[in-house]
Amino acid sequence: MEKQMRKLVIVTGVAILAVAGSAAFTMFAPGKGEAQTNVTVAGERSKSITIYRDPNCGCCDAYGEYLETNGYQVTRVDDRDFDKRSVAAGVPEQGLGCHLAEIDGYVVSGLVPAEIIERMLDERPDITGITLPGMPPNAPGMAREKTGTLKTYGFGEDGIAVYANE
């Protein structure tokens, strides 16, 4: 009988902790209109991306729409000095793209295809980020769909190297 009583106490304690944890999660979860952070749960990848771009750049808007069609939640921030922000974030000056994006602890410079961003987020390489320099005419945001190959570079403390050439 004492063994059954202990088992009942343990099961009840676990149930109480589960309910309390659920209530705390609900109470402290951001509400509608409140800022949310780019936090990733183990096994999940962030789909929230912030793009810093020149407010007069039409390709940046097209690129944001492209990312949205690929399931990303895009926040656009007008920033005429995105190039200075990019260099401060670690993007090599010779590798600047037409905007800077931040996602899940990485920076993305330029019109990088969604599948390359997703590969980086899956692989979690020890780099600061990736860049597709310039404004290639066959990149997402410049063309309706990517055609041909695009050379994307990874950069970080260990230098610059080709991340993808596809």
Side-chain angles (χ1 to χ4, degrees):
M1 184 74 160
E2 185 177 315
K3 204 176 201 182
Q4 287 179 331
M5 186 63 141
R6 258 190 281 180
K7 188 175 180 181
L8 180 62
V9 168
I10 291 171
V11 170
T12 303
V14 170
I16 289 170
L17 288 174
V19 170
S22 176
F25 181 76
T26 303
M27 286 173 47
F28 296 110
K32 196 172 192 175
E34 293 179 12
Q36 295 186 23
T37 57
N38 261 351
V39 177
T40 334
V41 176
E44 293 180 14
R45 105 167 73 108
S46 176
K47 292 294 253 185
S48 295
I49 189 165
T50 300
I51 298 176
Y52 300 90
R53 48 96 186 209
D54 185 301
N56 298 315
C57 183
C59 72
C60 291
D61 288 331
Y63 182 70
E65 291 169 10
Y66 158 80
L67 289 175
E68 288 169 340
T69 63
N70 280 277
Y72 288 87
Q73 295 81 43
V74 179
T75 301
R76 295 163 181 83
V77 178
D78 291 343
D79 183 357
R80 292 188 190 282
D81 294 323
F82 79 90
D83 54 341
K84 292 176 186 160
R85 178 186 296 272
S86 298
V87 172
V91 179
E93 285 188 50
Q94 70 274 25
L96 290 178
C98 67
H99 63 266
L100 178 72
E102 295 176 342
I103 183 167
D104 207 17
Y106 287 100
V107 295
V108 177
S109 177
L111 304 164
V112 178
E115 63 267 16
I116 304 299
I117 295 172
E118 290 172 15
R119 181 181 324 140
M120 176 185 67
L121 295 175
D122 285 341
E123 293 175 352
R124 308 292 306 169
D126 188 18
I127 59 176
T128 302
I130 54 179
T131 185
L132 178 60
M135 297 171 71
N138 61 328
M142 295 294 290
R144 287 188 180 221
E145 55 186 60
K146 176 189 160 292
T147 58
T149 60
L150 295 169
K151 192 177 284 190
T152 305
Y153 297 88
F155 57 90
E157 289 183 19
D158 293 335
I160 306 166
V162 174
Y163 185 77
N165 190 17
E166 50 191 72

